[in-house]
């Protein structure tokens, strides 16, 4: 009996869906795969029904602990080529997961290769592939060279490649190397990674993905080390860099379309003692939404910041370490105030995302077109609002001050760990304290906490002795606290996504007076806290009390103000 007839009789497909799933020529091969792709049926439900008809058990691999010792002696080529995976041995039989109940010839191949009696069970194809990647490594099928993946079609370069015809260049263009690089990029996108690290170490190439701010090592087959030079050369070609130069750092950019999504990759390669190491920052344009209300601002913070970004002039700074979401906050603020009555110009290094209705400038430091130089030119274009990607030096700071004094609203960023330090950082650059005091309207420091996975987080009874002294027990009000567990959805980490915590310091008259006196960051912070500023730590506790994150996350990214508040 054909798959279509079974699914039709079981009520999982109707006549019209069956006809569409057969394809234009009425071919029944691949019918189940097409029906799943068209959204007519869930693969698990279909396989369960087919298994019942054919006497095959369906298993959910998310709930199965595979016996990895069975991989020894199991034909690797069948794992990749036929998408099979051994999961257990029962009553002398080797239990092997497959997603195709109508093609059991590979099962016979397994039996012949292993000399064991094989019992097939049905499982989702995606879940089998995840097991393969988890235990055999990213790109292992390419290293073996035993399967022709369709990865070339899924990863499309948006710029033409230029090669020099050298032996190294030709090696980097080999099909197996291209597929391996594509596999690494695809897995990073599917894992929601923000950065990919390819590190040349003494024992070979190490691949790590930064997911939700934390680095996660990826399993890779040891054979990948033979391809190390070719992999890095392929990436350098994609970034339009000099593949023959292996003594100096190089930076570039790769523009891709992956599964229909436009991806920008900021590429950096640095020579290390064991070879070149690569870091790629992934900017997924389709995954980004710039909405101020969606950033995790508390209601009172949002209200105040919403009013500040509508000031007619002055400087508003967003501070925090690298990767804390400063650019996202600024873009969201611009999106909120963007309308045809305002001319908004940004100068950035680099322009990470293109915003409709906003004029964006790419800084070119190599030719002397710096933030400071571009800012002087911007002011001749009659802007109302200016965004400077980062205040790095005195020239940029002076031009930002001048722009605010001549009636412009200026947004920018600084690399400081809290809001009060921004005032002292500007004076340390060489600005006069009275200029800082008179132009800076507010500083918002921010950090990112990992968000608890909503699918597996669990409530627990907290032990006061294990909690920090500044935890606000009086605000708990009988609500439960949550901790991470780990599940299939979050890849066993317990966290999925991130949420911001914020410290908004408004330049009140008292703060202006201290800034004018060139007061220390410590005194500025004390005055702001006395005036009601909510610190990063306190904002983090609010996320913990709402079950969005954990105490450990807050302690990881934010310092306590308990000692400072106790000082009179």
């Amino acid at each position: 009996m054909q798959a279509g007839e079974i699914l039709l009789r079981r009520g999982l497909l109707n006549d019209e869906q069956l006809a569409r799933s057969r394809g234009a020529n009425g071919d029944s091969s691949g019918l189940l795969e097409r029906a799943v792709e068209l959204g007519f049926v869930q693969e698990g439900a279909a396989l369960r029904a087919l298994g019942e008809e054919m006497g095959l058990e369906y298993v959910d691999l998310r709930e199965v602990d595979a016996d990895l010792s069975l991989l020894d002696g199991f034909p690797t080529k069948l794992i990749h080529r036929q998408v099979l995976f051994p999961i257990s041995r029962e009553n002398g039989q080797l239990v092997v997961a497959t997603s195709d109940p109508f093609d059991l010839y590979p099962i016979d191949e397994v039996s012949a290769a292993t000399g064991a009696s094989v019992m097939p069970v049905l499982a989702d194809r995606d879940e089998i592939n995840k097991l393969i990647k988890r235990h055999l490594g990213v790109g292992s099928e390419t290293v073996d060279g035993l399967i022709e993946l369709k990865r070339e079609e899924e990863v499309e370069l948006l710029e033409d490649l230029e090669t020099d015809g050298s032996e190294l260049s030709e090696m980097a263009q080999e099909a197996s190397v291209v597929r391996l690089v594509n596999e690494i990029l695809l897995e990073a996108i599917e894992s929601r990674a923000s950065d990919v690290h390819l590190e040349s170490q003494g024992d070979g190439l190490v691949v790590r993905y930064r997911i939700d701010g934390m680095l996660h090592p990826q399993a890779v087959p040891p054979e990948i080390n033979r391809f190390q030079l070719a992999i890095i050369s392929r990436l350098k070609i994609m970034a339009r860099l000099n593949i023959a130069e292996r003594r100096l750092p190089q930076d570039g950019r790769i523009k891709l379309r992956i599964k229909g999504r436009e991806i920008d990759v900021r590429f950096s390669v640095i020579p290390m003692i064991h070879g070149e190491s690569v870091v790629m920052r992934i900017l997924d344009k389709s995954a980004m939404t710039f909405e101020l209300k969606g950033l995790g601002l508390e209601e009172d913070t949002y209200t105040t910041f919403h009013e500040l970004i509508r000031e007619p002039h002055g400087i508003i700074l967003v501070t925090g370490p690298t990767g804390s979401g400063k650019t996202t906050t600024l873009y969201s603020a611009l999106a909120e105030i963007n309308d045809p009555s305002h001319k908004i110009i940004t100068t950035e290094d680099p322009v990470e995302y293109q915003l409709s209705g906003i004029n964006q400038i790419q800084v070119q430091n190599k030719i002397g077109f710096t933030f400071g130089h571009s800012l002087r030119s911007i002011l001749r274009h009659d802007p109302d609002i200016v965004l400077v990607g980062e205040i790095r030096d005195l020239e940029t700071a002076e031009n930002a001050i001048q722009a605010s004094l001549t009636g412009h609203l200026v947004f920018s960023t600084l690399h400081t760990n809290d809001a009060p330090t921004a005032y002292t950082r500007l004076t340390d650059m060489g600005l006069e304290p009275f200029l800082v005091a008179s132009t800076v309207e507010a500083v918002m420091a921010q950090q990112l906490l990992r968000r608890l996975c909503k699918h597996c987080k669990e409530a627990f009874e907290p032990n006061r002795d294990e909690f920090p002294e500044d935890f606000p027990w009086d605000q708990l009000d009988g609500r439960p606290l949550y901790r991470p567990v780990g599940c299939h959805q979050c890849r066993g980490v317990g966290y999925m996504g991130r949420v911001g915590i914020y410290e908004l310091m408004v330049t009140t008259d008292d703060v202006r007076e201290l800034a004018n006196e060139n007061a220390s960051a410590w005194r500025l912070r004390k005055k702001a806290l006395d005036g009601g500023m909510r610190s990063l730590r306190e904002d983090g506790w609010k996320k913990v009390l709402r079950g969005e994150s954990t105490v450990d996350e807050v302690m990881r990214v934010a310092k306590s103000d308990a000692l400072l508040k106790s000082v009179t």
Side-chain angles (χ1 to χ4, degrees):
M1 186 177 292
Q2 296 295 322
E5 298 173 13
I6 296 174
L7 298 178
L8 182 65
R9 182 161 52 78
R10 289 275 186 145
L12 295 175
L13 291 179
N14 58 37
D15 290 324
E16 180 185 353
Q17 292 171 336
L18 177 58
R20 289 182 61 187
S21 300
R22 288 189 191 281
N25 58 1
D27 184 15
S28 293
S29 63
L31 180 144
L32 175 58
E33 185 178 352
R34 284 194 293 273
V36 172
E37 287 178 356
L38 291 169
F40 295 154
V41 64
Q42 294 290 325
E43 185 180 18
L47 288 175
R48 198 182 299 274
L50 295 173
E52 290 174 359
E53 292 280 344
M54 303 175 68
L56 295 175
E57 181 186 358
Y58 171 82
V59 297
D60 186 345
L61 292 182
R62 295 174 297 183
E63 301 174 358
V64 171
D65 290 326
D67 183 354
L68 301 182
S69 66
L70 298 175
L71 290 172
D72 295 333
F74 195 93
T76 307
K77 65 180 181 179
L78 292 179
I79 290 178
H80 297 305
R81 191 172 64 207
Q82 304 295 345
V83 193
L84 305 175
F85 202 90
I87 56 175
S88 64
R89 188 181 294 276
E90 296 179 8
N91 301 322
Q93 286 188 308
L94 184 63
V95 181
V96 176
T98 177
S99 63
D100 190 346
F102 294 97
D103 184 11
L104 298 182
Y105 176 72
I107 300 298
D108 294 334
E109 288 190 78
V110 171
S111 181
T114 61
S117 173
V118 179
M119 180 173 68
V121 295
L122 300 181
D124 289 14
R125 188 181 186 90
D126 282 349
E127 296 304 324
I128 299 176
N129 276 323
K130 287 177 182 177
L131 271 182
I132 294 171
K133 286 181 181 177
R134 187 181 310 136
H135 299 300
L136 295 180
V138 176
S140 54
E141 65 278 11
T142 304
V143 170
D144 289 338
L146 298 168
I147 182 170
E148 289 297 324
L149 295 175
K150 296 180 180 179
R151 293 309 203 189
E152 295 90 343
E153 300 173 7
E154 295 178 347
V155 178
E156 176 189 355
L157 280 167
L158 299 183
E159 295 178 334
D160 293 334
L161 296 183
E162 296 179 3
T163 59
D164 58 11
S166 64
E167 182 180 351
L168 184 58
S169 174
E170 293 301 317
M171 183 173 63
Q173 297 297 91
E174 290 181 2
S176 58
V177 175
V178 171
R179 287 197 299 271
L180 181 51
V181 169
N182 290 352
E183 178 74 13
I184 291 171
L185 291 170
L186 275 164
E187 181 67 13
I189 297 296
E190 291 168 2
S191 301
R192 301 180 298 106
S194 61
D195 302 85
V196 178
H197 294 239
L198 305 179
E199 300 167 340
S200 298
Q201 298 186 1
D203 53 355
L205 190 67
V206 174
V207 180
R208 296 196 287 174
Y209 295 157
R210 188 176 295 279
I211 304 171
D212 295 333
M214 304 294 284
L215 281 171
H216 296 269
Q218 300 301 302
V220 293
E223 294 85 357
I224 201 173
N225 295 326
R226 293 191 291 111
F227 294 84
Q228 178 174 333
L229 185 58
I231 290 169
I232 294 175
S233 296
R234 166 65 182 175
L235 288 167
K236 289 166 74 173
I237 290 172
M238 293 168 69
R240 307 171 75 85
L241 300 179
N242 180 3
I243 64 170
E245 178 56 76
R246 281 182 273 170
R247 301 164 301 169
L248 297 173
Q250 296 185 74
D251 295 317
R253 197 163 188 169
I254 305 172
K255 293 185 178 181
L256 305 168
R257 184 178 289 113
I258 296 182
K259 294 185 177 180
R261 296 153 59 182
E262 283 198 17
I263 307 292
D264 271 3
V265 180
R266 285 159 56 182
F267 180 92
S268 176
V269 57
I270 297 179
M272 304 285 185
I273 59 172
H274 296 294
E276 291 179 296
S277 288
V278 169
V279 173
M280 293 180 282
R281 166 67 57 88
I282 296 173
L283 304 173
D284 186 353
K285 296 180 179 180
S286 63
M288 288 302 299
T289 55
F290 299 110
E291 185 180 355
L292 205 55
K293 279 195 171 180
L295 299 180
L297 293 163
E298 296 296 321
E299 190 61 38
D300 56 344
T301 304
Y302 170 78
T303 300
T304 304
F305 194 64
H306 184 267
E307 294 172 355
L308 286 165
I309 63 177
R310 284 167 170 75
E311 290 286 334
H313 54 79
I315 299 176
I316 295 174
L317 297 173
V318 177
T319 75
T322 301
S324 59
K326 299 186 296 296
T327 300
T328 300
T329 298
L330 287 177
Y331 278 5
S332 299
L334 291 184
E336 183 122 338
I337 59 179
N338 183 23
D339 65 59
S341 65
H342 293 120
K343 180 158 186 175
I344 303 175
I345 305 180
T346 76
T347 174
E348 306 169 61
D349 181 23
V351 174
E352 294 190 356
Y353 299 97
Q354 296 179 23
L355 304 176
S356 177
I358 293 176
N359 303 278
Q360 295 173 271
I361 297 172
Q362 170 74 53
V363 168
Q364 301 284 350
N365 288 314
K366 291 182 180 178
I367 59 173
F369 188 46
T370 62
F371 279 127
H373 188 276
S374 64
L375 192 48
R376 288 197 301 272
S377 300
I378 284 173
L379 297 182
R380 292 194 285 271
H381 272 245
D382 188 30
D384 299 294
I385 299 163
V386 177
L387 183 148
V388 183
E390 182 185 347
I391 296 178
R392 297 176 177 171
D393 50 40
L394 178 58
E395 181 191 16
T396 308
E398 287 177 336
N399 287 324
I401 292 282
Q402 187 61 36
S404 68
L405 291 174
T406 52
H408 303 87
L409 182 61
V410 180
F411 292 93
S412 192
T413 69
L414 277 176
H415 283 283
T416 65
N417 291 321
D418 62 10
T421 307
Y423 297 85
T424 57
R425 178 66 54 83
L426 291 174
T427 55
D428 289 345
M429 285 182 182
L431 289 177
E432 293 292 340
F434 76 90
L435 288 175
V436 176
S438 60
T439 56
V440 176
E441 296 297 326
V443 181
M444 185 157 74
Q446 65 180 77
Q447 275 278 15
L448 295 175
L449 303 178
R450 288 186 295 172
R451 193 190 296 268
L452 278 167
C453 174
K454 62 182 180 181
H455 301 284
C456 65
K457 67 178 183 180
E458 70 173 11
F460 72 102
E461 189 68 31
N463 182 347
R464 283 179 177 256
D465 294 337
E466 298 175 356
F467 274 49
E469 293 181 3
D470 61 324
F471 184 79
W473 294 102
D474 57 320
Q475 299 177 30
L476 195 55
D477 295 331
R479 289 176 292 182
L481 295 178
Y482 291 88
R483 61 187 173 195
V485 176
C487 67
H488 170 73
Q489 296 289 337
C490 61
R491 295 174 175 248
V493 178
Y495 298 93
M496 182 181 290
R498 289 188 287 179
V499 62
I501 57 173
Y502 302 91
E503 177 179 276
L504 180 57
M505 182 171 175
V506 180
T507 311
T508 61
D509 290 342
D510 288 341
V511 171
R512 285 192 202 281
E513 186 176 344
L514 284 176
N516 189 48
E517 297 171 359
N518 199 16
S520 66
W522 184 89
R523 289 181 61 198
L524 287 164
R525 184 167 192 80
K526 182 71 168 61
K527 179 62 70 175
L529 290 171
D530 291 344
M533 181 184 77
R534 184 188 302 116
S535 69
L536 285 168
R537 183 95 156 189
E538 291 170 330
D539 203 51
W541 293 143
K542 287 188 172 293
K543 272 66 175 181
V544 173
L545 293 171
R546 282 203 297 269
E548 295 180 37
S549 192
T550 63
V551 172
D552 289 342
E553 278 296 289
V554 175
M555 294 174 65
R556 180 175 67 86
V557 303
K559 292 171 61 176
S560 172
D561 288 301
L563 179 61
L564 186 62
K565 285 187 172 183
S566 68
V567 179
T568 57

